[in-house]
Amino acid sequence: MLQILASRGDLVLLRDSVEWEGRSLLKALIREVALKGEQVQVLGCEVSEEVFREGLDSDTNSRLVYHDIFRDPQGWTGNWGPLGILRACLRGAEPGPCTLAVDSLSWLLLHAPCSALCQTLRALGHDNSHPGRVRVLGLLHEDVHGPGPLGALRSLAQIEVTVGGNLGFTTAQVFHPKPRHRSIEQTYWFSILPNFSLEFHKEPLLEPRPHRGPQSPTVDAMADLTFNVHLSKKEREARDTLALPFHFSSEKQQSLLHPALASSTSQIFYEPDADDYLDQEDPDDDLDI
Amino acid sequence: MESQQGEGGTELDSQSSIWVNTGGNKMAALTTGFGRARQGGAGDPREYKAETAAGGDKLGGGGGGGDRGCSFLRKVSVPGSGGGGGGGGGARLRSIAGTRPSVQNGQLLVSAGLPALDQLLGGGLAVGTLLLIEEDKYNIYSSLIFKYFLAEGIVCGHTLLVASAKEDPGDILQELPEPLHDDNYKKVLDEGRSHKSQEEPEISMKIAWRYQNLPQMEAGPGTSSRFGHYYDVSKRMSQEVIQSAKWHKFFLPEEITSYANVESCALNHGYTKLLHFIQRVISEQGFDGSNPQKKQKNILRIGIQSLGSPLWGDDICCADTPEHMHSLTRFLYVLRGLLRMSLSACIITVPSHLIQNKAVTSRIRNLSDTVVGLESFIGSEKEANSLYKDYHGLIHIHQIPRLNSLICDVSDTKDLAFKLQRKVFTIERLHLPPDLSDTVSRSSKRDLVESAKQLSPGCGMMAGGKEHLDF
């Protein structure tokens, strides 16, 4: 999981759903990044700042730079729309590796055109003042959107993390597509502690699933044959060396060019039966040709 | 009188020169739109035949052009006729580097960078047409084909125009594959084949021995001499070669710097700018014959990456009912008009897996000339299917243009698969593997049958039925 934090890809998409929320994972990742000493810019749209900061320790909180849209969602106090604020997030940041957490992209998708959002995200990732060192962690609620915007953001993202839950543990399926069957796809099982640190577990053993039903015994068709189907080794060799009848080999060519003399091996033996009438006359003599 | 002097004077020679000349004129008329076909060309064979019938044979006599030169006049037309076109233009068109006339209809073709793809498209991409690549899901393999096209342009000495909204075109050019020389390609291909044969030894066919002599899918080097080149994907093209190439770039974020009206997304803005840019390059550099140049004519290769994606400001990929549904189709219409009027070939990649409205997809296909779709197995359930385990994806040729003819050269196999080996991108026919063993369990046989249903009937009905009959 920590490899996500190590990579400097542009956009990491955290997809959650109604069944299992992903904000706690986002906060846990922010905490990991902040513990390394980096500053984290947070754009908060869905929850207020107090709610977001709650649970994080003071060290992390001091490194969070919070840009609040929740206080003023319609932008009545400022001149910029939500995308303007998104772009302004990185302006005051210190130079160096930078992380921007967006909570959430769904809110931005609902309040701005999708193509403009994609262009802004791409421009953020390739910001000139932080060349190649910006990482954007975006939270996306996938059941809010149709396949269009979802597909557009997925094609823009380098890494996708799908948050789910099973058997009391949180799972994160990380997918990083790469060519030639080398795409990384891995599932992590962990639980998020109250202070938003991650505790990883090994994949719990699944209970043995019940059999789908008694399977019919496969009949071995080769069992009780009265003739031999298998070939011994000698027989196999003999079969391999056999010349196929329609292969025009040189021996065949020779035999055709020089027809063998009528060999004495083929003869017809005739024994006349009692009922046979052997007439020496040729019945065709009557014909008048 | 005359001009027999230079050419050795045998009858065969002059006959072949007639053929070549009319071919050249056809090319001039089709691809550039200027220069009419010479009427004199049609007349020559008839004159020639009349002469031989009447006058007996006139063999030899190379130098004595006077005797036989009278009735057969090799018309060397004045290049001034028809605005730069005509016979002189025809001779020059034939010699543009990296092009060749098609054997089917005489069109001028350029290579798409992959000789296997050229073969599937009927010899190559016709000059003045548009190749549309429908991207695979994560845009990995389609960008590779895009780079092959650009690399081929650099190697042949064509001018490039690269437009993108996602990556800087300079970065795209840095990632082009390195061209291989002929002897290197044989080594690379043998390496790929020997790797495969270590897994399954190739059994020579004993019963179906007639099929052993069928031609392989790909042509190796040496069959078409300087037309298609081979590339090594694991290496990058060297800097000197890239810098020696002439190219123009269009990077959308640099062209549109103001985001003042971002909330009301002016969609045509990016497309309009791109069209103006292309038109300016074509007219300034003379690709449409507007300022007649005495120097060598060249081809302009245009590459536009991920057109229609949200990064271009277009919302056909994002919304189910897009507001500006016709901006992309209008763009393609105008672009194709520009292409037809100039010596250029264009490749466009479109993320059509994101387009929700199927009507838009079919409109886009109709507005392009050649359409190739890629479907990769990454992340899909097909990856685990045993039928596809050797390959990385499927390639579908949706459309091939019928240029100046009634039929097009469609390949007979519809099931093609590609794989990206370490150095080489190969396209092969998808074969259903024979089910030889008797002790295969029933469930996996059923999977194979199910997957075989997805193949088109051209692949053979070996596993057609659902029930597997055991005798």
Side-chain angles (χ1 to χ4, degrees), chain A residues 113-116 118-119 122 147-149 151-152 154-156 175 177-181 183 222 240 244 246-247, chain B residues 138 140-141 165-166 206 209 251 262-263 265 310-314 317-318 354 356 378 383 391-392 420-422:
Chain A
C114 178
S115 49
C118 291
Q119 282 173 326
R122 197 219 148 265
R154 285 177 71 183
S155 68
L156 200 60
F175 183 55
K178 274 190 197 165
R180 280 181 244 219
H181 291 307
S183 39
M222 306 293 228
D240 283 336
L244 291 170
F246 29 78
H247 265 151
Chain B
Y138 298 101
I140 296 173
Y141 301 107
K166 194 171 188 182
K206 297 196 75 173
W209 51 280
F251 187 38
V262 68
E263 310 298 352
C265 232
L311 292 173
W312 281 95
D314 197 356
C317 291
C318 324
L354 293 178
Q356 306 300 318
I378 297 178
E383 205 168 4
Y391 301 105
H392 294 135
L420 177 62
Q421 288 162 349
R422 197 169 59 90

Side-chain angles (χ1 to χ4, degrees), chain B residues 1 9 44 48 191 198 207 210 278 320 402 431:
Chain B
M1 27 174 311
D44 284 345
Y48 176 69
E191 190 181 291
Q198 271 157 24
I207 297 179
R210 276 286 184 208
I278 294 176
D320 295 332
R402 291 188 283 253
H431 292 288

Side-chain angles (χ1 to χ4, degrees), chain B residues 205-227:
Chain B
M205 302 184 203
K206 297 196 75 173
I207 297 179
W209 51 280
R210 276 286 184 208
Y211 292 102
Q212 208 154 5
N213 298 331
L214 279 184
Q216 295 286 326
M217 190 65 174
E218 271 184 311
T223 52
S224 50
S225 52
R226 285 291 106 191
F227 187 59

